[in-house]
Amino acid sequence: MIANIIIGAAIFGYATWAFVKFINKSKQGKCGACDLKDTCSSKCGVPRKLH
């Protein structure tokens, strides 16, 4: 019984942590949450000037 409670709490805790992490990353926007934002060549979707 105790093992089931501990396992359930661990699963629920991890799910809550993953959900909070997802929400925080989604608030940063497309490029703010990207792992490659420092080396990305797309410039976060900024349109290029046409000559």
Side-chain angles (χ1 to χ4, degrees), residues 21-37:
K21 185 177 175 183
F22 171 77
I23 295 297
N24 288 337
K25 277 194 166 202
S26 68
K27 286 181 181 178
Q28 293 176 1
K30 179 181 172 185
C31 286
C34 182
D35 292 333
L36 301 174
K37 64 184 172 189

Side-chain angles (χ1 to χ4, degrees), residues 8-48:
I11 291 171
F12 184 74
Y14 177 76
T16 302
W17 173 79
F19 184 68
V20 168
K21 185 177 175 183
F22 171 77
I23 295 297
N24 288 337
K25 277 194 166 202
S26 68
K27 286 181 181 178
Q28 293 176 1
K30 179 181 172 185
C31 286
C34 182
D35 292 333
L36 301 174
K37 64 184 172 189
D38 296 331
T39 60
C40 185
S41 63
S42 71
K43 304 297 182 210
C44 295
V46 176
R48 290 187 254 169

